[in-house]
Amino acid sequence: SQQGEEDPQALSIQEGENATMNCSYKTSINNLQWYRQNSGRGLVHLILIRSNEREKHSGRLRVTLDTSKKSSSLLITASRAADTASYFCATLMDTGRRALTFGSGTRLQVQP
Amino acid sequence: DAGITQSPRHKVTETGTPVTLRCHQTENHRYMYWYRQDPGHGLRLIHYSYGVKDTDKGEVSDGYSVSRSKTEDFLLTLESATSSQTSVYFCAISESPGTATALNTEAFFGQGTRLTVV
């Protein structure tokens, strides 16, 4: 089963609005990462948050992590049509295996 | 794309035939990974490598084997392709030279290989 599950599965908003995506996971983690995938392309890293961090910012991105609830959220502020993509959370579990486990993703559509 | 090349980019093959996908990196990263992506499942780890000739299984390794004889190349082989292996396959790398640990490093992905087994 997936370590990370994103919610919602799909999100449609207007340009200029904020988009929030949530991720839940099951086991203890070392860090959590968010990736973006444009249609037909590979994944691109957006931001990494360590297990001892609670919030992180990068440009229009804000990520929060609540390890007690095993959840994270990705906020994209002032969205643009170019933000249209699928967004995935990925966790590096605290088990010694150095491989990311991905959720099923959120498809974001930003209407111009 | 961080110096990662997957080949071929597209392939159609028949059930029962062996297929090898290649991932080549020019970044000298220590870790290399093979994932498959299917609708509704996100990316699932098939196998990964943490050095030359050092590999380990992922969550969906049945029917797949890998080899890494050089730092830059990681091969994924479908021993006898089945229709359930129709998917998009992604290679990824992480841990650049000089990084003390792969714990807090990002992964870089190739463009993917679309494989269809008929």
Side-chain angles (χ1 to χ4, degrees):
Chain A
S1 61
Q2 296 292 113
Q3 158 74 335
E5 296 293 339
E6 276 97 335
D7 170 55
Q9 290 187 327
L11 180 61
S12 182
I13 60 174
Q14 297 293 317
E15 221 170 15
E17 294 180 339
N18 295 341
T20 299
M21 288 160 266
N22 302 296
C23 170
S24 61
Y25 57 91
K26 298 175 182 176
T27 62
S28 178
I29 63 170
N30 185 281
N31 68 60
L32 185 144
Q33 305 180 28
W34 285 89
Y35 287 80
R36 165 193 169 126
Q37 184 181 35
N38 288 83
S39 180
R41 305 295 298 265
L43 279 73
V44 175
H45 180 263
L46 295 176
I47 196 166
L48 179 154
I49 186 165
R50 295 177 173 81
S51 60
N52 61 353
E53 297 176 317
R54 292 297 168 258
E55 188 170 313
K56 206 161 184 181
H57 296 256
S58 177
R60 293 185 296 113
L61 305 180
R62 172 178 170 252
V63 169
T64 61
L65 178 65
D66 186 335
T67 53
S68 67
K69 295 181 179 178
K70 292 187 170 56
S71 67
S72 173
S73 67
L74 171 67
L75 169 67
I76 304 173
T77 60
S79 63
R80 306 165 181 168
D83 293 328
T84 294
S86 291
Y87 292 82
F88 295 88
C89 70
T91 53
L92 187 69
M93 287 187 279
D94 198 13
T95 59
R97 187 172 82 173
R98 300 292 181 254
L100 292 169
T101 302
F102 285 82
S104 53
T106 293
R107 293 186 308 278
L108 174 64
Q109 177 76 42
V110 182
Q111 306 286 350
Chain B
D1 294 318
I4 306 170
T5 304
Q6 291 187 230
S7 60
R9 292 293 313 280
H10 302 271
K11 186 171 182 67
V12 179
T13 192
E14 293 186 349
T15 299
T17 61
V19 177
T20 296
L21 308 183
R22 180 181 184 237
C23 178
H24 178 79
Q25 62 150 329
T26 58
E27 307 296 318
N28 202 29
H29 280 55
R30 180 184 174 196
Y31 283 79
M32 298 186 76
Y33 309 86
W34 278 108
Y35 288 90
R36 61 177 287 175
Q37 184 176 31
D38 305 288
H41 289 279
L43 278 80
R44 292 181 291 175
L45 181 68
I46 304 171
H47 283 278
Y48 72 103
S49 169
Y50 46 96
V52 172
K53 297 185 180 179
D54 292 323
T55 64
D56 203 356
K57 295 180 180 180
E59 59 188 299
V60 291
S61 60
D62 286 348
Y64 301 95
S65 62
V66 290
S67 66
R68 192 172 179 195
S69 58
K70 298 185 290 185
T71 299
E72 58 266 34
D73 289 324
F74 193 33
L75 304 181
L76 175 71
T77 298
L78 286 65
E79 293 141 10
S80 177
T82 67
S83 58
S84 65
Q85 294 175 311
T86 292
S87 186
V88 180
Y89 291 84
F90 286 98
C91 174
I93 63 175
S94 71
E95 195 178 312
S96 57
T99 304
T101 173
L103 283 177
N104 290 306
T105 60
E106 64 195 272
F108 298 93
F109 282 80
Q111 291 297 308
T113 295
R114 184 172 295 276
L115 176 68
T116 303
V117 183
V118 298

Short mmCIF file of all heavy atoms in Angstrom, two decimals, chain B residues 52-96:
data_model
loop_
_atom_site.label_atom_id
_atom_site.label_comp_id
_atom_site.label_asym_id
_atom_site.label_seq_id
_atom_site.Cartn_x
_atom_site.Cartn_y
_atom_site.Cartn_z
N VAL B 52 27.98 0.44 -7.34
CA VAL B 52 28.24 -0.53 -8.39
C VAL B 52 28.06 -1.94 -7.80
O VAL B 52 28.62 -2.27 -6.76
CB VAL B 52 29.66 -0.36 -8.95
CG1 VAL B 52 30.00 -1.50 -9.91
CG2 VAL B 52 29.79 0.98 -9.65
N LYS B 53 27.23 -2.71 -8.46
CA LYS B 53 26.90 -4.09 -8.10
C LYS B 53 26.13 -4.20 -6.78
O LYS B 53 25.92 -5.31 -6.29
CB LYS B 53 28.18 -4.95 -8.05
CG LYS B 53 28.85 -5.06 -9.42
CD LYS B 53 30.02 -6.00 -9.40
CE LYS B 53 30.67 -6.07 -10.80
NZ LYS B 53 31.84 -6.97 -10.84
N ASP B 54 25.71 -3.09 -6.20
CA ASP B 54 24.92 -3.10 -4.97
C ASP B 54 23.49 -2.69 -5.28
O ASP B 54 23.24 -1.52 -5.60
CB ASP B 54 25.52 -2.14 -3.93
CG ASP B 54 26.85 -2.60 -3.42
OD1 ASP B 54 27.03 -3.83 -3.25
OD2 ASP B 54 27.73 -1.74 -3.20
N THR B 55 22.58 -3.64 -5.19
CA THR B 55 21.19 -3.33 -5.51
C THR B 55 20.26 -3.93 -4.47
O THR B 55 20.66 -4.82 -3.70
CB THR B 55 20.79 -3.89 -6.89
OG1 THR B 55 20.85 -5.32 -6.87
CG2 THR B 55 21.70 -3.35 -8.00
N ASP B 56 19.04 -3.42 -4.43
CA ASP B 56 18.05 -3.94 -3.49
C ASP B 56 16.68 -3.84 -4.11
O ASP B 56 16.44 -3.03 -5.02
CB ASP B 56 18.10 -3.15 -2.18
CG ASP B 56 17.54 -3.94 -1.01
OD1 ASP B 56 17.04 -5.08 -1.23
OD2 ASP B 56 17.59 -3.43 0.12
N LYS B 57 15.76 -4.68 -3.61
CA LYS B 57 14.42 -4.72 -4.17
C LYS B 57 13.54 -3.62 -3.61
O LYS B 57 13.70 -3.22 -2.44
CB LYS B 57 13.78 -6.08 -3.86
CG LYS B 57 14.46 -7.24 -4.52
CD LYS B 57 13.76 -8.54 -4.14
CE LYS B 57 14.44 -9.73 -4.80
NZ LYS B 57 13.78 -11.01 -4.43
N GLY B 58 12.59 -3.20 -4.44
CA GLY B 58 11.55 -2.30 -3.99
C GLY B 58 10.26 -3.05 -3.75
O GLY B 58 10.25 -4.28 -3.62
N GLU B 59 9.17 -2.31 -3.74
CA GLU B 59 7.88 -2.92 -3.40
C GLU B 59 7.24 -3.72 -4.52
O GLU B 59 6.36 -4.54 -4.26
CB GLU B 59 6.92 -1.82 -2.92
CG GLU B 59 6.69 -0.74 -3.97
CD GLU B 59 5.90 0.44 -3.40
OE1 GLU B 59 4.76 0.22 -2.99
OE2 GLU B 59 6.44 1.57 -3.41
N VAL B 60 7.66 -3.51 -5.78
CA VAL B 60 7.05 -4.22 -6.90
C VAL B 60 8.15 -4.83 -7.77
O VAL B 60 8.20 -4.62 -8.99
CB VAL B 60 6.13 -3.29 -7.72
CG1 VAL B 60 4.89 -2.93 -6.94
CG2 VAL B 60 6.86 -2.02 -8.18
N SER B 61 9.01 -5.63 -7.18
CA SER B 61 10.18 -6.15 -7.89
C SER B 61 9.94 -7.45 -8.66
O SER B 61 10.76 -7.83 -9.50
CB SER B 61 11.33 -6.36 -6.90
OG SER B 61 10.94 -7.30 -5.91
N ASP B 62 8.83 -8.12 -8.40
CA ASP B 62 8.60 -9.41 -9.07
C ASP B 62 8.55 -9.23 -10.58
O ASP B 62 7.82 -8.39 -11.10
CB ASP B 62 7.29 -10.02 -8.58
CG ASP B 62 7.41 -10.58 -7.18
OD1 ASP B 62 8.55 -10.68 -6.68
OD2 ASP B 62 6.36 -10.90 -6.58
N GLY B 63 9.30 -10.06 -11.30
CA GLY B 63 9.32 -10.01 -12.75
C GLY B 63 10.36 -9.06 -13.32
O GLY B 63 10.49 -8.96 -14.55
N TYR B 64 11.10 -8.42 -12.43
CA TYR B 64 12.12 -7.45 -12.85
C TYR B 64 13.47 -7.82 -12.25
O TYR B 64 13.55 -8.31 -11.12
CB TYR B 64 11.78 -6.04 -12.38
CG TYR B 64 10.48 -5.47 -12.86
CD1 TYR B 64 9.33 -5.57 -12.06
CD2 TYR B 64 10.40 -4.80 -14.07
CE1 TYR B 64 8.13 -5.02 -12.49
CE2 TYR B 64 9.20 -4.24 -14.50
CZ TYR B 64 8.08 -4.35 -13.70
OH TYR B 64 6.89 -3.81 -14.12
N SER B 65 14.52 -7.53 -12.99
CA SER B 65 15.87 -7.63 -12.45
C SER B 65 16.65 -6.39 -12.87
O SER B 65 16.26 -5.70 -13.82
CB SER B 65 16.58 -8.90 -12.92
OG SER B 65 16.72 -8.87 -14.33
N VAL B 66 17.72 -6.10 -12.15
CA VAL B 66 18.52 -4.92 -12.45
C VAL B 66 19.99 -5.27 -12.41
O VAL B 66 20.40 -6.28 -11.82
CB VAL B 66 18.24 -3.77 -11.45
CG1 VAL B 66 16.86 -3.17 -11.65
CG2 VAL B 66 18.45 -4.22 -10.02
N SER B 67 20.77 -4.41 -13.03
CA SER B 67 22.22 -4.55 -12.93
C SER B 67 22.86 -3.18 -13.00
O SER B 67 22.38 -2.27 -13.69
CB SER B 67 22.77 -5.43 -14.06
OG SER B 67 22.59 -4.82 -15.31
N ARG B 68 23.94 -3.06 -12.27
CA ARG B 68 24.71 -1.81 -12.28
C ARG B 68 26.19 -2.17 -12.25
O ARG B 68 26.77 -2.39 -11.20
CB ARG B 68 24.36 -0.93 -11.08
CG ARG B 68 24.92 0.48 -11.22
CD ARG B 68 24.40 1.37 -10.14
NE ARG B 68 24.94 2.72 -10.23
CZ ARG B 68 24.86 3.59 -9.24
NH1 ARG B 68 24.25 3.26 -8.10
NH2 ARG B 68 25.36 4.80 -9.40
N SER B 69 26.77 -2.23 -13.43
CA SER B 69 28.18 -2.61 -13.56
C SER B 69 29.09 -1.38 -13.59
O SER B 69 30.30 -1.50 -13.40
CB SER B 69 28.39 -3.45 -14.82
OG SER B 69 27.96 -2.72 -15.96
N LYS B 70 28.48 -0.21 -13.83
CA LYS B 70 29.23 1.05 -13.81
C LYS B 70 28.41 2.08 -13.05
O LYS B 70 27.18 2.00 -13.03
CB LYS B 70 29.48 1.55 -15.25
CG LYS B 70 30.31 0.62 -16.10
CD LYS B 70 30.60 1.25 -17.46
CE LYS B 70 29.35 1.33 -18.31
NZ LYS B 70 29.65 1.82 -19.68
N THR B 71 29.07 3.04 -12.47
CA THR B 71 28.36 4.08 -11.73
C THR B 71 27.30 4.75 -12.55
O THR B 71 26.21 5.05 -12.05
CB THR B 71 29.36 5.16 -11.23
OG1 THR B 71 30.31 4.56 -10.36
CG2 THR B 71 28.63 6.28 -10.49
N GLU B 72 27.57 4.96 -13.83
CA GLU B 72 26.67 5.76 -14.65
C GLU B 72 25.50 5.02 -15.26
O GLU B 72 24.59 5.65 -15.78
CB GLU B 72 27.47 6.46 -15.77
CG GLU B 72 28.25 5.53 -16.67
CD GLU B 72 29.69 5.33 -16.22
OE1 GLU B 72 29.93 5.33 -14.99
OE2 GLU B 72 30.57 5.17 -17.09
N ASP B 73 25.50 3.70 -15.24
CA ASP B 73 24.45 2.94 -15.92
C ASP B 73 23.69 2.02 -14.97
O ASP B 73 24.29 1.29 -14.18
CB ASP B 73 25.04 2.10 -17.05
CG ASP B 73 25.51 2.94 -18.22
OD1 ASP B 73 24.85 3.96 -18.52
OD2 ASP B 73 26.53 2.57 -18.84
N PHE B 74 22.37 2.05 -15.11
CA PHE B 74 21.51 1.19 -14.30
C PHE B 74 20.49 0.59 -15.25
O PHE B 74 19.70 1.32 -15.86
CB PHE B 74 20.83 2.03 -13.21
CG PHE B 74 20.16 1.24 -12.13
CD1 PHE B 74 20.64 0.00 -11.71
CD2 PHE B 74 19.04 1.74 -11.48
CE1 PHE B 74 20.04 -0.71 -10.69
CE2 PHE B 74 18.41 1.04 -10.46
CZ PHE B 74 18.91 -0.18 -10.07
N LEU B 75 20.53 -0.71 -15.42
CA LEU B 75 19.68 -1.40 -16.38
C LEU B 75 18.53 -2.10 -15.65
O LEU B 75 18.72 -2.74 -14.62
CB LEU B 75 20.48 -2.44 -17.16
CG LEU B 75 21.72 -1.94 -17.90
CD1 LEU B 75 22.39 -3.08 -18.64
CD2 LEU B 75 21.36 -0.82 -18.87
N LEU B 76 17.36 -2.00 -16.25
CA LEU B 76 16.18 -2.70 -15.75
C LEU B 76 15.76 -3.71 -16.80
O LEU B 76 15.53 -3.34 -17.96
CB LEU B 76 15.03 -1.71 -15.50
CG LEU B 76 13.70 -2.32 -15.08
CD1 LEU B 76 13.78 -2.88 -13.65
CD2 LEU B 76 12.58 -1.28 -15.16
N THR B 77 15.64 -4.97 -16.41
CA THR B 77 15.25 -6.03 -17.33
C THR B 77 13.95 -6.66 -16.90
O THR B 77 13.79 -7.04 -15.73
CB THR B 77 16.34 -7.11 -17.43
OG1 THR B 77 17.54 -6.52 -17.95
CG2 THR B 77 15.90 -8.24 -18.36
N LEU B 78 13.03 -6.73 -17.85
CA LEU B 78 11.80 -7.49 -17.68
C LEU B 78 12.10 -8.86 -18.27
O LEU B 78 12.31 -8.98 -19.49
CB LEU B 78 10.64 -6.84 -18.41
CG LEU B 78 10.05 -5.56 -17.82
CD1 LEU B 78 11.03 -4.40 -17.84
CD2 LEU B 78 8.77 -5.20 -18.54
N GLU B 79 12.15 -9.85 -17.43
CA GLU B 79 12.65 -11.15 -17.88
C GLU B 79 11.75 -11.79 -18.92
O GLU B 79 12.20 -12.40 -19.86
CB GLU B 79 12.83 -12.04 -16.65
CG GLU B 79 13.96 -11.55 -15.72
CD GLU B 79 13.62 -11.70 -14.23
OE1 GLU B 79 12.61 -12.35 -13.91
OE2 GLU B 79 14.38 -11.17 -13.41
N SER B 80 10.44 -11.65 -18.73
CA SER B 80 9.46 -12.18 -19.69
C SER B 80 8.25 -11.25 -19.58
O SER B 80 7.42 -11.40 -18.68
CB SER B 80 9.08 -13.61 -19.33
OG SER B 80 8.08 -14.10 -20.20
N ALA B 81 8.17 -10.30 -20.46
CA ALA B 81 7.20 -9.21 -20.33
C ALA B 81 5.76 -9.73 -20.31
O ALA B 81 5.39 -10.64 -21.05
CB ALA B 81 7.38 -8.21 -21.46
N THR B 82 4.97 -9.10 -19.44
CA THR B 82 3.54 -9.40 -19.36
C THR B 82 2.75 -8.11 -19.53
O THR B 82 3.29 -7.01 -19.34
CB THR B 82 3.18 -10.02 -18.00
OG1 THR B 82 3.36 -9.04 -16.97
CG2 THR B 82 4.05 -11.24 -17.70
N SER B 83 1.48 -8.24 -19.85
CA SER B 83 0.64 -7.05 -20.08
C SER B 83 0.56 -6.18 -18.82
O SER B 83 0.40 -4.95 -18.91
CB SER B 83 -0.75 -7.45 -20.55
OG SER B 83 -1.36 -8.29 -19.59
N SER B 84 0.69 -6.79 -17.64
CA SER B 84 0.62 -6.01 -16.39
C SER B 84 1.85 -5.13 -16.20
O SER B 84 1.86 -4.27 -15.31
CB SER B 84 0.49 -6.96 -15.20
OG SER B 84 1.65 -7.76 -15.06
N GLN B 85 2.86 -5.33 -17.02
CA GLN B 85 4.05 -4.50 -16.95
C GLN B 85 4.00 -3.32 -17.91
O GLN B 85 4.96 -2.55 -18.01
CB GLN B 85 5.32 -5.33 -17.18
CG GLN B 85 5.55 -6.35 -16.06
CD GLN B 85 6.72 -7.27 -16.31
OE1 GLN B 85 6.85 -7.86 -17.40
NE2 GLN B 85 7.58 -7.42 -15.31
N THR B 86 2.89 -3.19 -18.63
CA THR B 86 2.67 -1.98 -19.41
C THR B 86 2.59 -0.81 -18.45
O THR B 86 1.77 -0.80 -17.53
CB THR B 86 1.36 -2.09 -20.21
OG1 THR B 86 1.52 -3.09 -21.22
CG2 THR B 86 0.99 -0.77 -20.86
N SER B 87 3.45 0.16 -18.65
CA SER B 87 3.57 1.25 -17.68
C SER B 87 4.53 2.30 -18.21
O SER B 87 5.13 2.14 -19.27
CB SER B 87 4.09 0.69 -16.34
OG SER B 87 4.08 1.68 -15.34
N VAL B 88 4.66 3.37 -17.44
CA VAL B 88 5.71 4.35 -17.69
C VAL B 88 6.78 4.14 -16.62
O VAL B 88 6.47 4.13 -15.43
CB VAL B 88 5.19 5.79 -17.65
CG1 VAL B 88 6.34 6.77 -17.92
CG2 VAL B 88 4.08 5.98 -18.68
N TYR B 89 8.00 3.96 -17.07
CA TYR B 89 9.11 3.66 -16.16
C TYR B 89 10.01 4.89 -16.03
O TYR B 89 10.43 5.48 -17.01
CB TYR B 89 9.91 2.46 -16.69
CG TYR B 89 9.13 1.18 -16.63
CD1 TYR B 89 8.25 0.83 -17.64
CD2 TYR B 89 9.26 0.34 -15.52
CE1 TYR B 89 7.51 -0.35 -17.56
CE2 TYR B 89 8.53 -0.83 -15.44
CZ TYR B 89 7.66 -1.16 -16.46
OH TYR B 89 6.92 -2.32 -16.38
N PHE B 90 10.30 5.23 -14.78
CA PHE B 90 11.16 6.37 -14.51
C PHE B 90 12.42 5.93 -13.77
O PHE B 90 12.36 5.15 -12.82
CB PHE B 90 10.45 7.41 -13.66
CG PHE B 90 9.42 8.20 -14.40
CD1 PHE B 90 8.08 7.86 -14.34
CD2 PHE B 90 9.79 9.30 -15.18
CE1 PHE B 90 7.13 8.59 -15.03
CE2 PHE B 90 8.85 10.03 -15.88
CZ PHE B 90 7.51 9.68 -15.81
N CYS B 91 13.53 6.48 -14.22
CA CYS B 91 14.78 6.34 -13.51
C CYS B 91 15.01 7.61 -12.71
O CYS B 91 14.62 8.71 -13.12
CB CYS B 91 15.92 6.15 -14.52
SG CYS B 91 17.57 6.13 -13.80
N ALA B 92 15.62 7.46 -11.54
CA ALA B 92 15.95 8.62 -10.72
C ALA B 92 17.33 8.42 -10.11
O ALA B 92 17.81 7.29 -9.97
CB ALA B 92 14.91 8.83 -9.63
N ILE B 93 17.96 9.53 -9.75
CA ILE B 93 19.27 9.48 -9.10
C ILE B 93 19.25 10.39 -7.88
O ILE B 93 18.46 11.34 -7.80
CB ILE B 93 20.41 9.89 -10.05
CG1 ILE B 93 20.25 11.36 -10.50
CG2 ILE B 93 20.46 8.97 -11.25
CD1 ILE B 93 21.41 11.87 -11.34
N SER B 94 20.12 10.09 -6.94
CA SER B 94 20.26 10.98 -5.78
C SER B 94 21.64 10.80 -5.16
O SER B 94 22.35 9.84 -5.45
CB SER B 94 19.17 10.73 -4.74
OG SER B 94 19.37 9.51 -4.08
N GLU B 95 21.96 11.70 -4.28
CA GLU B 95 23.22 11.76 -3.54
C GLU B 95 24.40 12.06 -4.45
O GLU B 95 25.11 11.18 -4.94
CB GLU B 95 23.48 10.51 -2.73
CG GLU B 95 24.59 10.74 -1.70
CD GLU B 95 24.85 9.53 -0.84
OE1 GLU B 95 23.89 8.95 -0.33
OE2 GLU B 95 26.04 9.18 -0.67
N SER B 96 24.63 13.31 -4.63
CA SER B 96 25.75 13.76 -5.45
C SER B 96 27.07 13.53 -4.72
O SER B 96 27.09 13.36 -3.48
CB SER B 96 25.60 15.25 -5.78
OG SER B 96 25.51 16.00 -4.59
#
